[in-house]
Amino acid sequence: MNTALKWIHFSVLILALLIPRSDGDDLLKQWCIADEQTPDDVLQAALDWACGPGGADCKMILPNKPCYLPNTIKDHASFAFNSYWQKYKNQGGSCYFSAAAMVSDLNPSHGACQYESHT
């Protein structure tokens, strides 16, 4: 076996050992989150729509609820966008929100604040 091939095998082995393993629960799951580049006023308008006419369940981002902190427009918008998208994505709902949102494969849940995800 030549040196380059041995190096590739060694690199693959190291990567396999270093990459965090999932228990499989988050595989194939996706979340709709606020795009960090979106200005706060655009996020606020989309958040207001999602929690109002959009029908998202925004109870968890109210004061003293698990997803209230961090108390930022971006974090509250992410929770609301995801709530809307998970509820309506199989009925044609999108994760767009006037270009304020994006789909992520990384679970944004933190501590007691759990974002739902349905495959």
Side-chain angles (χ1 to χ4, degrees):
M1 197 181 287
N2 70 27
T3 305
L5 193 53
K6 287 180 184 179
W7 177 249
I8 292 172
H9 284 197
F10 177 74
S11 298
V12 169
L13 176 63
I14 294 298
L15 284 174
L17 294 173
L18 293 177
I19 295 174
R21 298 182 190 258
S22 170
D23 60 4
D25 285 346
D26 288 346
L27 295 178
L28 304 178
K29 290 186 178 181
Q30 294 181 316
W31 296 265
C32 180
I33 59 170
D35 185 335
E36 292 184 12
Q37 298 178 31
T38 305
D40 281 355
D41 61 325
V42 175
L43 286 176
Q44 185 65 60
L47 170 62
D48 292 344
W49 182 88
C51 291
D57 182 358
C58 297
K59 291 186 292 271
M60 299 300 279
I61 57 175
L62 294 174
N64 300 315
K65 296 293 183 177
C67 298
Y68 179 71
L69 296 175
N71 182 15
T72 67
I73 293 172
K74 183 185 89 53
D75 286 285
H76 288 186
S78 289
F79 189 87
F81 295 169
N82 187 65
S83 173
Y84 171 85
W85 189 59
Q86 297 298 331
K87 186 175 182 180
Y88 296 111
K89 68 181 177 182
N90 293 327
Q91 300 166 25
S94 74
C95 176
Y96 184 68
F97 297 95
S98 300
M102 57 193 274
V103 175
S104 174
D105 294 332
L106 299 176
N107 186 344
S109 299
H110 51 89
C113 180
Q114 296 299 304
Y115 283 54
E116 63 182 309
S117 178
H118 309 287
T119 52

